[in-house]
Amino acid sequence: MNRLPIFLDLRDRRVAVVGQGSLAARRVDTLSRAGAEVSLFAEHPSDEFAPLEGKYRHGDFSAPEAFAGFGIAYFAYEPGEQPNEALIARVREAGTLVNVADYPALSDFITPSVLDRSPLVIAIATGGDAPLLGRMLKARLETLIPANYGRLAALAGAARAALAKKLTNQQARLRFWERVYDGPIAETMLAGDDATAKSMLDREIESCRPDGSASGDAPTGEVYLVGAGPGDPDLLTFRAFRLMQQADVVLYDQLVEPAIMDRVRRDAERIYVGKKRANHALQQEEIGELMVKLAREGKRVLRLKGGDPFIFGRGGEEIEKLAAHRVPFQVCPGVTAAAGCSSYAGIPLTHRDYAQSCVFVTGHGRDGPIQLDWASIIRPRQTVAVYMGLAHLDFLTKEFMRHGADPALPVAIVENGTRPNQITLTGTIADIAAKAAAHGLRGPTIIIVGEVVTLRDKLNWYTPHRAPEASDA
């Protein structure tokens, strides 16, 4: 390690910035937000400094002691501008540490890429050799570290004094914090419930044993109801991925892709609970009872559902059961099938020239085809997305026409949407059922009805990872 990483407290400390372009403006903005007392040395500051007025003082190059009293100085030259090495030497002679952007050999220190989750701050540096690599690694960490980790750090900081009074042994405090950061208190904070997390932490401090372990209370589990999206693992949210990594047991069904299950924590128990059409491994009531049982055993239960759990996913029914039994839970939404499949098929659900509204309906009820409100569904300039409609497609298309839909109304069926084996079949209300039967579509599918389907030829961008059949449209 040829450079020592440090974090400076710059509040009310004098810092100089030399430069007059965009890089210097960014330096001034960052330093002022860190609480520094910034002086800008620039002969002709650019317009980018206008929003920063009041955040810095104007320095005078010609003053004999112009750079006296500054702890650090940033030289922010624009591309093509050569460093003024005489001025840099003059500043260094005043006892000031110098950073010259893009010139590590002229610098006493370098500025890392910073991931700011204040008070949690992560800095990444490459010694000035590969700054772009540092920024790329920072971008990856942005996806892995939720913003609420900063609030968790602040919560812990506010409780340190109270814990120190309760636990004088350093190892006991370490054990306590390890349990907090890997348990329900941290999870509650990351879910955004600050007040509950604080109450939980206060109770935990009050009841902890002298060795820092938990009191003898029964373990408390939790259920994570998570939407896995329509199939492509890249469509998982950051929060979904985090919950998938910390679950002890996973309840999953037919619509969850194996590639998504690969993202679940390796040692988590996996329980298949269905569901194929008319062939459920477990009935809905049994799934609810199982979640309650596992949570009461102290386990973190991941209920992983295809698409979004609150859009025809029966998620509301499942958490009603949890709420009735006072089992803690949280819900993480996912990309619903209509949004994901239409995007990957090149069919916008709304478009200023074709559709100003979109409705989601299900084509499958408890006892077969569902009776829909056709008057509200069949309207001009409206898109209809039908979930679970393939099994009753012939009935649905006939009902569309019986209630006044134009037989030439465009329709698309997207099978295995967003997945490597995606197939998109287009036709009209009059012929789509016959086409689907001829192609042997089996599902899962989303059916899109409306003029927006005609945009597919122009907007289709996604190429499945297999050679499409000639009959694919």
Side-chain angles (χ1 to χ4, degrees):
M1 183 173 67
N2 59 1
R3 292 185 184 267
L4 178 69
I6 59 175
F7 289 86
L8 293 175
D9 183 354
L10 292 178
R11 287 172 293 184
D12 301 321
R13 300 283 296 273
R14 295 182 67 201
V15 178
V17 174
V18 181
Q20 51 198 18
S22 59
L23 179 56
R26 292 199 300 272
R27 288 278 191 262
V28 169
D29 184 41
T30 301
L31 291 165
S32 64
R33 284 190 283 113
E37 188 179 292
V38 183
S39 292
L40 173 67
F41 292 83
E43 294 179 355
H44 303 289
S46 68
D47 293 341
E48 294 178 70
F49 287 92
L52 302 174
E53 199 64 46
K55 294 186 176 182
Y56 64 91
R57 300 176 180 178
H58 292 276
D60 182 3
F61 283 107
S62 62
E65 302 295 324
F67 292 97
F70 291 101
I72 59 176
Y74 288 90
F75 285 78
Y77 294 108
E78 292 302 292
E81 189 178 0
Q82 292 300 309
N84 185 335
E85 295 195 34
L87 180 60
I88 294 170
R90 174 185 165 195
V91 173
R92 188 176 279 120
E93 287 170 2
T96 302
L97 294 175
V98 168
N99 170 268
V100 185
D102 294 328
Y103 290 89
L106 298 177
S107 302
D108 299 309
F109 67 96
I110 57 177
T111 301
S113 295
V114 174
L115 176 66
D116 188 0
R117 301 284 189 265
S118 295
L120 174 66
V121 178
I122 300 172
I124 303 170
T126 60
D129 293 334
L132 178 59
L133 177 61
R135 290 197 295 272
M136 291 173 64
L137 291 174
K138 174 205 165 185
R140 292 188 183 184
L141 289 176
E142 289 275 7
T143 70
L144 300 176
I145 303 175
N148 282 356
Y149 266 111
R151 304 219 312 257
L152 175 61
L155 175 70
R160 288 184 66 187
L163 183 66
K165 290 180 181 179
K166 185 71 183 290
L167 301 177
T168 57
N169 181 274
Q170 182 179 0
Q171 283 300 114
R173 292 197 298 271
L174 178 62
R175 182 176 181 183
F176 175 89
W177 286 121
E178 286 177 342
R179 182 162 45 81
V180 166
Y181 294 145
D182 194 35
I185 295 174
E187 188 50 50
T188 301
M189 193 72 186
L190 294 177
D193 191 349
D194 299 30
T196 300
K198 183 180 184 307
S199 297
M200 293 169 67
L201 181 57
D202 291 343
R203 290 196 301 271
E204 196 77 7
I205 292 174
E206 182 63 30
S207 64
C208 71
R209 297 187 179 116
D211 65 352
S213 62
S215 63
D217 296 338
T220 301
E222 186 176 9
V223 175
Y224 312 140
L225 180 62
V226 174
D232 186 345
D234 286 350
L235 296 181
L236 287 168
T237 65
F238 298 154
R239 185 166 166 230
F241 183 77
R242 176 173 58 80
L243 296 175
M244 290 164 68
Q245 285 296 301
Q246 64 189 39
D248 302 309
V249 57
V250 183
L251 277 57
Y252 68 102
D253 55 41
Q254 178 70 18
L255 292 178
V256 179
E257 274 283 283
I260 289 176
M261 289 299 297
D262 288 343
R263 269 68 172 175
V264 173
R265 200 177 90 190
R266 292 291 180 188
D267 59 342
E269 179 184 1
R270 289 161 167 78
I271 301 176
Y272 177 69
V273 295
K275 303 177 180 180
K276 294 181 181 178
R277 187 172 64 241
N279 181 19
H280 294 183
L282 289 181
Q283 296 298 319
Q284 191 66 43
E285 183 67 20
E286 294 177 287
I287 295 173
E289 294 289 350
L290 180 58
M291 289 192 295
V292 171
K293 173 180 176 293
L294 293 169
R296 284 181 169 172
E297 292 173 358
K299 294 179 180 178
R300 294 170 292 190
V301 183
L302 173 69
R303 177 64 174 110
L304 196 58
K305 302 178 75 71
D308 180 275
F310 276 10
I311 299 182
F312 304 122
R314 305 186 74 174
E317 298 173 39
E318 296 189 359
I319 62 173
E320 276 186 310
K321 185 80 170 180
L322 301 173
H325 288 80
R326 299 185 182 278
V327 172
F329 65 86
Q330 56 178 286
V331 180
C332 177
V335 175
T336 190
C341 296
S342 65
S343 295
Y344 276 56
I347 303 171
L349 292 176
T350 62
H351 188 285
R352 188 167 56 179
D353 298 328
Y354 295 89
Q356 284 73 55
S357 63
C358 177
V359 295
F360 295 174
V361 299
T362 177
H364 185 76
R366 288 182 180 271
D367 302 309
I370 198 167
Q371 295 304 315
L372 300 171
D373 181 2
W374 293 102
S376 65
I377 291 173
I378 303 176
R379 290 182 174 177
R381 306 174 80 82
Q382 176 170 275
T383 305
V384 182
V386 185
Y387 290 68
M388 297 172 286
L390 184 63
H392 306 293
L393 182 59
D394 187 62
F395 168 83
L396 288 169
T397 54
K398 289 177 180 176
E399 287 294 289
F400 263 93
M401 290 186 288
R402 189 168 73 85
H403 287 86
D406 183 347
L409 184 64
V411 181
I413 302 178
V414 186
E415 181 184 63
N416 295 313
T418 79
R419 307 178 192 201
N421 57 339
Q422 173 179 308
I423 293 175
T424 302
L425 183 68
T426 59
T428 66
I429 280 288
D431 65 16
I432 194 67
K435 284 188 173 183
H439 282 72
L441 299 187
R442 302 176 61 185
T445 62
I446 196 83
I447 303 167
I448 304 168
V449 182
E451 295 295 335
V452 291
V453 172
T454 62
L455 293 167
R456 170 173 161 73
D457 289 342
K458 183 191 299 183
L459 304 181
N460 183 31
W461 61 273
Y462 176 62
T463 302
H465 303 166
R466 56 149 183 80
E469 301 171 9
S471 54
D472 291 354

